[in-house]
Amino acid sequence: MRISYNWLKQFIKLDWKSEEIAALLTDLGLEVEGVEKFESLKGGLEGVVIGHVLTCIQHPNADRLRITTVDLGDGIPVQIVCGAPNVAAGQKVPVATIGTTLYDKDGNGFQIKKGKIRGEESHGMICAEDELGLGQGHDGIMVLNEDLKPGTPASKIFNIESDEVFEIGLTPNRADAMSHWGVARDLRAGLSQKNVHPELITPSVSNFRVDKRTLKIDVKVEDNKLAPRYCGVTISGITVKPSPAWLQNRLKAIGIAPKNNIVDVTNYVLHELGQPLHAFDAAKIRGNKVIVKTAEAGTKFITLDDIERTLHEEDLMICDETGPMCIAGVFGGKNSGVTEQTSSIFLESAYFNPVSIRKTAKRHGLSTDASFRFERGIDPTITEYALKRAALLIQETAGGEITSDTIDIYPKKIEDNPVVVNFNNVKRVIGQELSKEDIKKILVSLDIKINNISDAGLGLVVPAYRVDVTREIDVIEEILRVYGYNNISFTQKLNASISNSARNEDYKLQNIIGAQMVSLGFNEMMANSLTTPEYVKLSENLKEEFNVLMLNPLSSDLSAMRQSLLFSALEAVSFNINRKRSDLKLFEFGKTYHKLPSGYDENKHLTLTVTGNRLSESWSYQQKPADFFMFKGYVNLVLTRLGITKVQSQPVTNDIFAEGIAITVGNDVIAEFGTIKKALLKHFDIKQDVFFADFNWGAIIKLVSGKIKYTEISKFPEVRRDLALLIDQNVTFESIYKVARQTEKSLLKDISLFDVYEGQNLPEGKKSYAVSFVLQDSSKTLTDEQIDKIMGKIRVNLEKETGAQLR
């Protein structure tokens, strides 16, 4: 939000530097993110002074040039060559001195330099109005009033306005500060803490009066809950034209382009007082009647931006007898707006229901200065006052007469909020005892009325425009921000207590696994929990009726809570591949959301996603793409790091994995992983293999033991024996692993597959596995006889269970 310092000074007389004001506003919670300089004319005519032409003679080498001698007020006349036909001795003229930068209409600057023109020196430039940006004329130089003193800066003669503009990062709760008037109120409260007590100046509307009653517009509000207060008045005999310079400069300073005097006044009052207004061409109001009501579903309506919009049944509209004219509090209609031909207007000032305006604005994807304020809550007490203020400004800038009484439909007054504040609670929350007098002084400076006082606390009435102050804690926060966070003292003693927390807290385990995945070359990703509801159609495992839908979605692509983290991962993969990053290792901790018949269900997951090459490109090794077995290793590493080793696995067949495995503990599936099907990848325009694992993090947390287990390093050696096995193609390493484990449970420490051969010199339908077995006894050294006996049992059982033969 942009706030003009000059504009602010109209409400509160100050001589502080802008840097001091910025610091005070930031301390008050209105964080100033920057201060910009504004000039009504670029460059501010800096370096341009009033000159007195002493002499003017013909240039000896050019028929259309003249040589002048000009007094610039410093007692040393300078020679300037001028090509204007109207230059003459005795004139007072604007002169751009050497070093001055002038700007053209596109904002491009050029510097005045000392030079020679047709052999004669020239020390500056006598300017025409277009060269200074003061007009369009270029027929000749500007000839000024003879009474002007040479050397006077031109900026003083032409009233060039310089301003400083505060860029305030306004928080959503501070609806009361969305105007210059609101910021001035806060500034007054802050200044009072520094023993500065400036008067808060309110623009007067005492001159408002009805000139005649010749144009009456009837108003009917059908739903007072959606439009609790509605005011209006007609103004006739106006002339629509460009606004005066002062009004244009005010709007330009805060980044608003002037349009015409009527629209500019409504924008001016909006940013001055925080009250949105709308002007209708009275001649276009059919039946001289305004009806405030909700639209019929499906009604077509063309807004000011020439877009046809389909109205919702809950959209509040400003209508005449034939149909809608304006989306209330959001955007005007094309066919009822003010044009150059408009001679009479109906001026609207209203207080609309914030929730209704917010829903309508979101539905139509509109965000205007008016909706921004209405949906946060404006001051319902100034509706009529702002209307009169705008009417007087319109009369000042466009002429005309007030031709109707003011209409004010306000059947149920919006009451102020009563709040009780306990002094002990103020001390407890702030951490420091403030005097009762200081508390009362702060509250009064914030326009919070003190109804009653007791030894225990205060009975307060908070103005209705402070929509963010409804509880005791809110009032305490107001006291603290005005008193100043920087004024709260800190003790030299720090007290802390040690809490007994579980060893396996969720965030600790996430940090452990996160650190492990990063060490393996993974990057953590965080995706939006909001996604498109269409993704559930890509898998039969997801149900459309289980979608958790947003009531007011930002867009259709962000209208449902995700049921799976898979699609977020594939979006990230596609995004990176399209930017030439095709080798990816990603992990994410996130939640899924389901609307089940039994109620809402929320589950936490960990996902791994791998695609592309195993390692980044290097001269020292040949590139290899990631494969299923490498990815399986990552999954096993996660489980091993968490101490989950007693698991079972089984193949998964579904519409997500081309080949996949489910890992279970008992009856609980704790992880599923595999290769994503090509058909699913095609939807995201991914042409390379993607491996995906989904861990049920909630189930894993329950399995992780809180105890730390350790094993002493054995004093006795390990013994390794290798077997080369000829087996059928359908026999897996897992089946060999299980048989070996069942055969020898105590001394067999490790089983690993270190070679696989499929090809020539093998019978059809066969493959060769080279498997290593590590044996160890923690109490003694194994003998050859013991080792041979164990290996013999393993070999026999492998032959029986898997049909394996020694090669």
Side-chain angles (χ1 to χ4, degrees):
M1 182 181 72
R2 295 171 66 88
I3 294 294
S4 158
Y5 194 14
N6 287 349
W7 201 342
L8 206 57
K9 289 176 182 177
Q10 292 180 200
F11 294 106
I12 190 166
K13 299 300 182 184
L14 291 170
D15 56 2
W16 284 29
K17 293 180 180 179
S18 60
E19 294 82 2
E20 296 172 311
I21 295 295
L24 179 56
L25 288 174
T26 298
D27 288 344
L28 288 167
L30 302 178
E31 184 181 0
V32 177
E33 298 174 342
V35 181
E36 298 179 6
K37 291 191 177 296
F38 167 80
E39 293 170 326
S40 58
L41 186 67
K42 188 169 184 180
L45 296 183
E46 185 177 351
V48 180
V49 298
I50 305 304
H52 181 202
V53 181
L54 301 175
T55 64
C56 179
I57 61 174
Q58 183 66 42
H59 193 294
N61 302 319
D63 294 338
R64 296 187 177 182
L65 297 179
R66 290 172 175 78
I67 300 173
T68 64
T69 304
V70 183
D71 176 14
L72 298 180
D74 56 2
I76 305 174
V78 298
Q79 178 175 294
I80 298 176
V81 177
C82 180
N86 64 329
V87 65
Q91 294 174 336
K92 298 292 176 65
V93 294
V95 177
T97 57
I98 292 174
T100 299
T101 300
L102 299 179
Y103 297 88
D104 60 22
K105 61 181 181 179
D106 297 322
N108 301 314
F110 61 94
Q111 192 177 56
I112 304 301
K113 300 178 181 179
K114 176 184 175 182
K116 283 188 176 183
I117 301 176
R118 293 290 182 95
E120 297 292 335
E121 287 189 357
S122 184
H123 298 264
M125 184 172 80
I126 303 174
C127 301
E129 65 177 29
D130 67 328
E131 292 166 334
L132 297 177
L134 297 171
Q136 304 297 324
H138 194 71
D139 296 335
I141 59 168
M142 295 183 73
V143 180
L144 306 176
N145 192 309
E146 293 182 359
D147 297 334
L148 295 176
K149 185 179 178 181
T152 303
S155 58
K156 293 184 178 180
I157 305 302
F158 296 107
N159 296 319
I160 303 303
E161 183 173 346
S162 295
D163 197 357
E164 291 174 292
V165 180
F166 303 105
E167 186 67 47
I168 296 178
L170 192 68
T171 52
N173 63 308
R174 290 304 307 277
D176 62 294
M178 292 188 294
S179 65
H180 287 75
W181 170 247
V183 173
R185 276 190 309 226
D186 248 30
L187 201 53
R188 178 191 59 178
L191 289 168
S192 68
Q193 283 300 110
K194 300 183 180 297
N195 292 319
V196 179
H197 303 282
E199 180 187 358
L200 195 59
I201 302 167
T202 306
S204 174
V205 294
S206 60
N207 291 333
F208 180 89
R209 69 178 186 276
V210 179
D211 298 301
K212 56 181 70 171
R213 294 175 175 82
T214 56
L215 181 58
K216 182 183 178 184
I217 302 289
D218 294 322
V219 176
K220 180 183 179 182
V221 178
E222 292 192 356
D223 191 336
N224 294 116
K225 291 183 179 179
L226 299 182
R229 189 174 190 184
Y230 191 91
C231 297
V233 71
T234 63
I235 308 173
S236 302
I238 63 169
T239 302
V240 179
K241 59 184 179 180
S243 297
W246 70 265
L247 178 51
Q248 292 195 35
N249 289 337
R250 283 285 178 267
L251 296 179
K252 287 178 181 177
I254 59 173
I256 296 176
K259 293 181 174 61
N260 59 56
N261 47 4
I262 306 301
V263 174
D264 291 350
V265 164
T266 61
N267 281 330
Y268 180 87
V269 173
L270 180 145
H271 289 278
E272 179 186 52
L273 302 176
Q275 172 66 54
L277 303 162
H278 191 74
F280 297 90
D281 188 330
K284 298 176 182 176
I285 301 177
R286 309 285 181 173
N288 280 358
K289 191 170 186 178
V290 168
I291 307 167
V292 184
K293 63 179 182 178
T294 52
E296 291 185 11
T299 302
K300 303 295 183 182
F301 180 66
I302 300 175
T303 45
L304 282 170
D305 54 3
D306 284 327
I307 295 176
E308 183 179 78
R309 304 179 188 274
T310 302
L311 300 179
H312 187 271
E313 59 188 7
E314 294 181 359
D315 290 339
L316 186 66
M317 304 297 295
I318 311 300
C319 307
D320 60 16
E321 285 192 338
T322 61
M325 299 187 294
C326 171
I327 302 177
V330 180
F331 210 25
K334 180 181 179 182
N335 299 322
S336 62
V338 173
T339 66
E340 291 181 358
Q341 290 72 43
T342 299
S343 60
S344 59
I345 62 170
F346 174 74
L347 188 62
E348 167 197 276
S349 178
Y351 177 89
F352 296 119
N353 181 283
V355 175
S356 171
I357 299 301
R358 186 183 306 119
K359 288 182 177 181
T360 296
K362 294 297 182 186
R363 268 194 293 268
H364 296 288
L366 292 169
S367 180
T368 61
D369 283 339
S371 68
F372 180 81
R373 285 158 177 79
F374 276 128
E375 65 189 31
R376 285 162 175 77
I378 61 172
D379 185 356
T381 65
I382 66 165
T383 311
E384 185 181 20
Y385 166 72
L387 180 74
K388 292 179 178 180
R389 169 69 170 155
L392 289 173
L393 286 172
I394 288 173
Q395 284 187 296
E396 178 185 335
T397 60
E401 298 175 312
I402 308 295
T403 50
S404 75
D405 292 313
T406 55
I407 300 162
D408 187 4
I409 300 176
Y410 196 15
K412 185 178 180 181
K413 183 181 177 182
I414 297 174
E415 299 293 339
D416 295 336
N417 301 311
V419 179
V420 175
V421 173
N422 185 287
F423 290 129
N424 288 332
N425 288 338
V426 175
K427 179 182 177 181
R428 178 179 57 82
V429 173
I430 293 178
Q432 179 175 314
E433 185 169 7
L434 307 185
S435 72
K436 294 179 181 179
E437 288 304 315
D438 280 343
I439 292 173
K440 289 189 286 184
K441 177 183 172 183
I442 291 171
L443 293 173
V444 170
S445 72
L446 291 169
D447 293 335
I448 296 176
K449 297 177 183 177
I450 300 175
N451 257 6
N452 53 74
I453 306 173
S454 68
D455 291 338
L458 301 171
L460 308 174
V461 177
V462 180
Y465 67 79
R466 288 309 306 269
V467 294
D468 60 322
V469 182
T470 58
R471 305 165 299 167
E472 180 186 36
I473 189 65
D474 299 328
V475 175
I476 296 173
E477 184 182 0
E478 290 296 294
I479 294 170
L480 178 56
R481 74 177 181 86
V482 175
Y483 181 78
Y485 290 93
N486 295 332
N487 295 325
I488 302 299
S489 59
F490 292 88
T491 61
Q492 299 298 314
K493 184 180 179 182
L494 180 64
N495 297 320
S497 58
I498 300 173
S499 61
N500 183 20
S501 60
R503 182 181 300 278
N504 293 322
E505 290 188 67
D506 189 354
Y507 78 93
K508 291 181 180 179
L509 292 178
Q510 287 190 40
N511 288 340
I512 289 171
I513 298 303
Q516 180 191 33
M517 301 319 297
V518 169
S519 70
L520 293 170
F522 280 73
N523 289 299
E524 184 171 9
M525 62 170 280
M526 289 183 286
N528 198 335
S529 293
L530 295 174
T531 187
T532 172
E534 299 299 313
Y535 279 156
V536 299
K537 298 177 181 178
L538 299 177
S539 172
E540 293 179 357
N541 294 343
L542 308 176
K543 303 296 183 184
E544 195 167 352
E545 59 268 25
F546 291 171
N547 270 332
V548 180
L549 300 175
M550 299 294 101
L551 292 176
N552 296 299
L554 295 173
S555 69
S556 59
D557 289 337
L558 297 172
S559 60
M561 305 290 281
R562 60 183 176 180
Q563 289 191 42
S564 171
L565 273 64
L566 169 63
F567 307 115
S568 302
L570 294 180
E571 284 179 346
V573 169
S574 177
F575 182 88
N576 279 275
I577 290 175
N578 289 337
R579 285 152 183 80
K580 308 301 181 184
R581 296 179 61 88
S582 56
D583 301 333
L584 301 169
K585 294 179 182 177
L586 306 172
F587 73 97
E588 179 183 14
F589 288 99
K591 292 182 178 180
T592 58
Y593 308 86
H594 302 79
K595 184 181 179 181
L596 304 176
S598 57
Y600 290 100
D601 188 42
E602 185 176 315
N603 297 302
K604 183 170 283 188
H605 293 258
L606 162 66
T607 62
L608 309 182
T609 309
V610 172
T611 186
N613 292 314
R614 297 185 179 205
L615 300 169
S616 57
E617 190 174 8
S618 174
W619 61 271
S620 61
Y621 51 80
Q622 187 176 357
Q623 283 283 25
K624 287 186 177 180
D627 59 30
F628 183 88
F629 296 102
M630 181 201 78
F631 189 67
K632 180 182 178 182
Y634 289 140
V635 174
N636 288 335
L637 282 172
V638 170
L639 296 176
T640 302
R641 182 67 182 85
L642 293 170
I644 302 173
T645 55
K646 296 180 179 180
V647 299
Q648 296 83 41
S649 59
Q650 58 191 41
V652 171
T653 54
N654 56 31
D655 54 2
I656 292 176
F657 295 123
E659 56 177 337
I661 291 177
I663 297 175
T664 60
V665 175
N667 294 324
D668 296 327
V669 177
I670 61 170
E672 288 185 345
F673 67 94
T675 309
I676 302 299
K677 283 189 173 181
K678 300 289 185 184
L680 191 54
L681 296 179
K682 185 178 180 181
H683 183 84
F684 293 87
D685 197 27
I686 300 173
K687 299 179 176 63
Q688 60 191 54
D689 287 340
V690 176
F691 305 96
F692 181 78
D694 186 356
F695 294 84
N696 184 339
W697 191 253
I700 286 174
I701 292 293
K702 296 175 182 177
L703 293 173
V704 176
S705 171
K707 296 180 180 179
I708 297 176
K709 297 179 182 180
Y710 73 95
T711 303
E712 184 180 357
I713 297 175
S714 177
K715 300 175 182 178
F716 302 99
E718 294 179 342
V719 177
R720 169 173 165 165
R721 292 290 186 267
D722 297 339
L723 295 180
L725 303 173
L726 185 66
I727 56 178
D728 293 336
Q729 284 283 358
N730 60 353
V731 175
T732 64
F733 172 68
E734 184 180 7
S735 60
I736 293 173
Y737 184 92
K738 286 181 178 179
V739 170
R741 280 292 182 195
Q742 289 169 359
T743 302
E744 178 55 54
K745 297 180 180 179
S746 61
L747 300 180
L748 186 58
K749 302 300 182 184
D750 186 45
I751 309 164
S752 62
L753 175 67
F754 64 89
D755 187 47
V756 178
Y757 176 72
E758 296 176 280
Q760 296 179 356
N761 303 322
L762 291 182
E764 186 176 352
K766 297 288 185 177
K767 60 183 176 181
S768 174
Y769 274 7
V771 183
S772 67
F773 301 86
V774 176
L775 303 168
Q776 186 182 45
D777 191 332
S778 59
S779 61
K780 61 183 178 180
T781 301
L782 292 172
T783 63
D784 289 341
E785 183 180 351
Q786 288 176 299
I787 296 167
D788 291 341
K789 184 177 180 181
I790 292 170
M791 293 305 298
K793 288 181 180 179
I794 291 173
R795 188 168 60 250
V796 170
N797 288 339
L798 287 174
E799 289 175 358
K800 289 181 180 178
E801 300 292 334
T802 67
Q805 301 174 14
L806 286 181
R807 288 190 66 192

